[in-house]
Amino acid sequence: MPSSSALKSSVPRAPTTCGTGVCFDCLITVNGRPNQRAYLVPARDGDTVAPQEGDGRADLAC
């Protein structure tokens, strides 16, 4: 049974693709740098983390 869905298409997706770099649904903006994969960026005190906005272009960074 799928536990999530693809961000853009809302197609159900099983968690087997998580952490493999296939879907890019985990992208976040960290310290103003977009397109960071949430599971690869170590958390540090003082980091500013925001959900990915739009397609991650630098001009859309938070």
Side-chain angles (χ1 to χ4, degrees):
M1 179 175 208
S3 64
S4 64
S5 60
L7 186 63
K8 290 185 180 181
S9 67
S10 298
V11 174
R13 182 183 66 239
T16 57
T17 59
C18 291
T20 63
V22 173
C23 68
F24 302 99
D25 283 348
C26 65
L27 293 179
I28 58 175
T29 299
V30 180
N31 299 323
R33 293 182 59 212
N35 301 320
Q36 305 299 306
R37 290 187 179 151
Y39 64 92
L40 291 178
V41 179
R44 296 184 179 97
D45 284 339
D47 279 349
T48 301
V49 180
Q52 182 82 20
E53 296 291 334
D55 61 7
R57 295 187 328 249
D59 61 329
L60 296 177
C62 298

